[in-house]
């Protein structure tokens, strides 16, 4: 474009906007989190003192630099020295952070520092909270009592700065749904008090040696998936029989569960059986009390279990008894008794076969597990049978581990 002498240079609106808006190299756009940093315990005093000064000073510095560029070094250009950080030479560089917290640097360094863990969007300094609980192994009743007392300072998970926490328990290794217990949910609190006792039945001395109790604290959401807050794990070998032990543990991030567990440790569940020989009626009374940690046989992760008993050899095919079906559970309670008319002397020749099945409509029922008690058994099964023979008219209760072998090749 040619320009005549004395005429003012013409500048297009695009060039004018480019000069005014972009005085220098393009800077990365700040994220909203840079202006509103998250602090786990409120804004630190040092950040309160420094943060308000830094943002305006940096803004003024940028504005003065732009003005200086536009004015081309005129005398009316306003200059403002940048705010210097204490203890750092060369005050022209902007401060990268304040002690205890910062508004956040420009660029992607803040995002790189955050842990990329599922369920976590806070800084490493964010505390997850503490959990107070107690454990008791009742050796006589083969029960593990877990009392969940309270939690303190839980991480807020909801938009209102609070959470709706509950606690769930798992025994590892083992199927999650088969041995999951949970407390009630307490709403809108970071310091919940549950004071609930959850009980695992059918716990043996062997379990106390090789199993670990996983305690997880979660936040319940009505319209989306529940969120994980933190967990703690207690090896059961730390507990002494019949001695209450108290814990006050800091919650940790979710640890990976070992999915390559030894298949030899895989179980089909436990069953509690009572035996009693009634001398007045000359009969053996068999009680099916309850099952625990049964294997899930249905697609929904549960089973519809029932129990069958046989007293073998059964020449007349009349020894079969069956309990009621318990729907959608892996820890059913039956509390049913069956009697077999038999002379006391003949008990040494008999074997009691107990099987647990999953009821299905329209197809064959699934075998879950079984156990045999009698003179040909061994271990706890043999001991239970002998204790019944030695203690007439006394009910003897025992827990037994189900095996995946069908006793006597029974068909349902």
């Amino acid at each position: 474009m040619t320009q005549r002498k004395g005429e003012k240079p013409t500048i297009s609106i695009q060039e004018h906007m480019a000069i005014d808006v972009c005085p220098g190299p393009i800077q990365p756009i700040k994220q909203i989190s840079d202006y509103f940093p998250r602090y786990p315990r409120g804004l630190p005093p040092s950040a309160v003192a420094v943060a308000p000064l830094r943002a305006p000073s940096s803004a003024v510095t940028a504005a003065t630099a732009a003005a200086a560029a536009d004015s081309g070094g005129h005398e009316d250009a306003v200059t403002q020295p940048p705010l210097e950080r204490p203890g750092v030479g060369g005050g022209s560089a902007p401060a990268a952070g304040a002690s205890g917290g910062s508004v956040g640097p420009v660029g992607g360094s803040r995002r790189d520092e955050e842990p990329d863990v599922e369920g976590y969007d806070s800084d490493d300094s964010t505390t997850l909270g503490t959990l107070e609980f107690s454990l008791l192994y009742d050796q006589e009743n083969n029960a593990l009592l877990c009392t969940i007392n309270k939690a303190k300072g839980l991480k807020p998970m909801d938009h209102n700065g609070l959470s709706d926490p509950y606690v769930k328990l798992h025994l590892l290794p083992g199927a999650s749904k088969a041995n999951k217990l949970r407390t009630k949910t307490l709403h809108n609190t970071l310091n919940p008090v549950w004071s609930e006792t959850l009980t695992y039945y059918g716990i043996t001395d062997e379990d106390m040696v090789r199993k670990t109790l996983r305690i997880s604290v979660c936040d319940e959401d009505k319209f989306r998936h529940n969120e994980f807050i933190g967990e703690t794990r207690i090896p059961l070998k730390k507990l002494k029989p019949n001695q209450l032990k108290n814990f006050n543990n800091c919650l940790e991030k979710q640890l990976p569960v070992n999915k390559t567990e030894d298949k030899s440790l895989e179980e089909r569940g436990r069953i509690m059986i009572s035996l009693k020989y009634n001398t007045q009626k000359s009969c053996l009374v068999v009680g099916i009390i309850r099952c625990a940690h049964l294997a899930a046989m249905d697609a929904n992760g549960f089973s519809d279990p029932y129990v069958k008993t046989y007293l073998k050899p059964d020449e007349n095919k009349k020894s079969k008894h069956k309990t009621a079906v318990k729907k959608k559970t892996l820890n059913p309670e039956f509390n049913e008794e069956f009697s077999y008319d038999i002379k006391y002397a003949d008990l040494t020749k008999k074997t009691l076969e107990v099987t647990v099945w999953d009821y299905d409509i329209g197809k064959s029922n699934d075998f879950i597990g079984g156990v045999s008690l009698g003179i040909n058994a061994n271990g706890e099964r043999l001991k239970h049978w002998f204790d019944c023979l030695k203690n007439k008219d006394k009910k003897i209760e025992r827990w037994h581990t189900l095996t995946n072998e069908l006793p006597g090749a029974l068909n349902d």
Side-chain angles (χ1 to χ4, degrees), residues 197-209:
T197 299
L198 308 175
T199 304
Y200 280 106
Y201 296 99
I203 302 298
T204 63
D205 292 341
E206 182 185 357
D207 293 328
M208 298 301 295
V209 173

Side-chain angles (χ1 to χ4, degrees), residues 268-341:
R268 309 295 290 180
R270 311 284 175 84
I271 185 169
M272 190 177 193
I273 302 172
S274 67
L275 298 178
K276 173 185 174 181
Y277 185 77
N278 191 323
T279 56
Q280 294 182 349
K281 298 181 179 179
S282 297
C283 67
L284 175 67
V285 180
V286 178
I288 305 299
I289 300 174
R290 67 191 306 160
C291 294
H293 322 324
L294 294 180
M297 307 302 291
D298 295 337
N300 59 7
F302 293 96
S303 294
D304 301 319
Y306 67 95
V307 180
K308 296 195 301 180
T309 63
Y310 292 85
L311 193 61
K312 296 293 193 77
D314 182 19
E315 298 176 356
N316 298 324
K317 306 293 183 181
K318 294 182 180 181
S319 68
K320 175 182 173 181
H321 290 285
K322 184 189 297 185
T323 68
V325 176
K326 301 296 180 180
K327 294 288 187 178
K328 198 178 179 182
T329 178
L330 301 177
N331 299 279
E333 286 191 52
F334 297 100
N335 294 317
E336 296 187 37
E337 290 186 342
F338 311 111
S339 60
Y340 294 97
D341 295 329

Side-chain angles (χ1 to χ4, degrees), residues 271-276 284-288 307-314 319-321 336-340 342 346-355 370-378 381-382 384-385 388 396 398 400 402 407-408 410:
I271 185 169
M272 190 177 193
I273 302 172
S274 67
L275 298 178
K276 173 185 174 181
L284 175 67
V285 180
V286 178
I288 305 299
V307 180
K308 296 195 301 180
T309 63
Y310 292 85
L311 193 61
K312 296 293 193 77
D314 182 19
S319 68
K320 175 182 173 181
H321 290 285
E336 296 187 37
E337 290 186 342
F338 311 111
S339 60
Y340 294 97
I342 186 174
D346 293 338
L347 285 177
T348 56
K349 306 173 185 177
K350 295 291 186 178
T351 297
L352 178 67
E353 295 180 347
V354 181
T355 55
V371 63
S372 296
L373 308 178
I375 197 67
N376 296 321
N378 51 36
R381 296 169 292 173
L382 178 61
H384 192 187
W385 190 257
C388 173
I396 309 295
R398 292 283 190 279
H400 298 283
L402 299 173
L410 294 174

